[in-house]
Amino acid sequence: MATRDSTDNPRRRIVEAAVELLENGGPDAVSTRAVAAAAGMQPPAIYRLFGDKEGLLEAVAEHGYAQFLERKRAQLDPAPQDPVEDLRRGWDTVVEFGVSRPELFAVMNRATGLGSDAAHRSGLEILHGRVRRLAAGGWLRVDEELAAQIIQATGQGAVTTWHSTPADRRNPALLTVLRESMVAAVTRAEPAIPAAESPPAAAARALRAALPDDSDVLSDAEQRLLREWLTRLAADGGAPRA
């Protein structure tokens, strides 16, 4: 559980008080009156700073993402020697956070549709960076967007299943099996083009991942056109032709 910050910042004091109540007593413990009392403030301050309880919970989610992002960045390797092992480490980081802080993790997941939190977006950028490295190295078995969705879904599903299982029946092997199932679904055993997939699809996937965001060689229109072509080729996973 996170420790409270002593900084005399009313907004931060309220958010940290809400997080503490949430993690000690669950969502029902996070009433505006209880949060205000825990923060040493009056309830109107919450409405002035956050609008309503939902606004406060959004701020709690942002706070959670900021803490999670700090943990991810501390473990981030910008150029891993083994991108598949790096994928495993990243997945484990997400699951460990969710397993250790279930109430906060649940609030964070409910807020992800807002798309307005910088820390959340930064976390997604780290995920997509991992996926791009896999694609550039020829490791990726599926399209980048699908790979990112599989990684997110299995991580969230692992945490949800863990907490929905009675404590005396939880088996850590479940998390390992789910992680390895994710790795098998997303990556190849070796960075090579399998016979079942057309060579252009794998090559296009790797080239698209390696393209720089900005290029002086191609115009913006040419870059968009090239990415469109590569996306089409990457989506052609070698379906049989008549």
Side-chain angles (χ1 to χ4, degrees), residues 38-235:
M41 304 179 72
Q42 296 298 317
I46 293 178
Y47 296 102
R48 184 177 69 253
L49 292 170
F50 303 98
D52 54 19
K53 182 178 177 180
E54 287 304 311
L56 173 59
L57 290 176
E58 289 178 19
V60 166
E62 292 177 8
H63 182 77
Y65 273 112
Q67 290 187 330
F68 176 56
L69 182 61
E70 183 178 352
R71 180 183 297 189
K72 288 185 74 172
R73 281 178 170 161
Q75 301 175 358
L76 183 63
D77 183 351
Q81 291 187 339
D82 187 341
V84 178
E85 191 59 33
D86 183 58
L87 172 62
R88 287 188 174 94
R89 285 194 298 270
W91 193 91
D92 284 344
T93 298
V94 173
V95 172
E96 287 167 5
F97 187 91
V99 165
S100 63
R101 307 187 72 177
E103 299 293 353
L104 180 58
F105 191 79
V107 170
M108 289 164 60
N109 278 336
R110 286 197 295 272
T112 55
L114 300 173
S116 60
D117 176 43
H120 177 222
R121 292 196 301 271
S122 296
L124 289 179
E125 288 172 4
I126 291 175
L127 168 61
H128 287 288
R130 283 194 167 100
V131 172
R132 281 194 298 271
R133 284 192 292 273
L134 288 165
W139 289 99
L140 206 58
R141 181 186 295 276
V142 297
D143 183 77
E144 290 178 50
E145 188 62 31
L146 178 58
Q149 291 172 358
I150 292 171
I151 295 165
Q152 284 187 288
T154 53
Q156 292 175 359
V159 173
T160 300
T161 302
W162 180 266
H163 289 298
S164 65
T165 302
D168 60 347
R169 293 174 53 196
R170 292 173 184 166
N171 187 343
L174 169 69
L175 303 180
T176 302
V177 170
L178 288 174
R179 183 193 64 200
E180 293 309 305
S181 297
M182 175 276 298
V183 171
V186 168
T187 67
R188 311 178 191 282
E190 296 291 338
I193 301 172
E197 181 175 60
S198 65
R205 192 173 294 137
L207 178 57
R208 185 183 59 184
L211 286 176
D213 292 332
D214 297 310
S215 173
D216 295 332
V217 177
L218 301 175
S219 68
D220 290 345
E222 289 170 334
Q223 289 185 61
R224 287 194 297 271
L225 183 58
L226 177 57
R227 289 184 184 278
E228 180 182 346
W229 286 343
L230 292 175
T231 297
R232 290 183 185 179
L233 287 170

